[in-house]
Amino acid sequence: MTIILVGLLLVMTGMIASIHYSDSLVFAIENHGNDNHTIEVKIFNDDSDMIFAETYLSGPSTGIYVPISASALGSYKYIVTMDNKITKEQNVHRSFPRHLTVEIYDENSTRSDETLRLKYSFA
């Protein structure tokens, strides 16, 4: 019985690890504010070739999750523009599953001193 439980635990651990690993670049847009915002996301590879460019409408208290097929490991540059006014850049080195979160806040938010913040973390 113990052997069966240990085997099931190992299988479940492998399934969870495979769910967390992805051959994709991933980013999320989280609007913590009270207004609609237009978010333009561009991603460039090591050779400065644009591999992704999309614009999203983000409403209040909404989230958008976007995986992008990019099988090559290496460095990528994200350029994110909010409402054609505020632009931020973030370099991401893809050697482990990681993602970028684009966070939007109201100007008077107590949670952030920035209205557009890019946060890079493990997936």
Side-chain angles (χ1 to χ4, degrees):
M1 184 68 157
T2 303
I3 294 174
I4 293 172
L5 289 175
V6 169
L8 285 174
L9 182 60
L10 289 173
V11 169
M12 289 175 56
T13 303
M15 288 173 57
I16 291 170
S18 67
I19 289 169
H20 285 289
Y21 181 76
S22 171
D23 285 338
S24 300
L25 291 171
V26 175
F27 70 89
I29 300 171
E30 298 175 354
N31 189 342
H32 300 282
N34 295 317
D35 298 317
N36 291 324
H37 295 282
T38 301
I39 304 296
E40 178 184 48
V41 178
K42 294 180 182 177
I43 303 174
F44 298 84
N45 65 13
D46 275 338
D47 298 323
S48 298
D49 297 324
M50 187 173 6
I51 62 167
F52 182 84
E54 290 289 331
T55 301
Y56 301 90
L57 179 62
S58 179
S61 302
T62 62
I64 300 168
Y65 178 84
V66 182
I68 302 149
S69 180
S71 59
L73 298 178
S75 295
Y76 294 88
K77 179 193 287 187
Y78 287 75
I79 299 177
V80 179
T81 304
M82 182 174 81
D83 299 331
N84 293 320
K85 295 178 187 174
I86 302 170
T87 299
K88 300 266 179 135
E89 294 184 16
Q90 177 72 48
N91 291 317
V92 173
H93 184 75
R94 188 171 172 276
S95 57
F96 298 100
R98 299 180 182 191
H99 72 273
L100 183 80
T101 302
V102 178
E103 296 179 331
I104 304 165
Y105 294 93
D106 291 334
E107 288 183 11
N108 58 356
S109 174
T110 58
R111 294 179 61 193
S112 176
D113 58 348
E114 301 174 284
T115 55
L116 178 63
R117 183 167 69 174
L118 304 184
K119 185 171 70 174
Y120 175 58
S121 61
F122 290 99

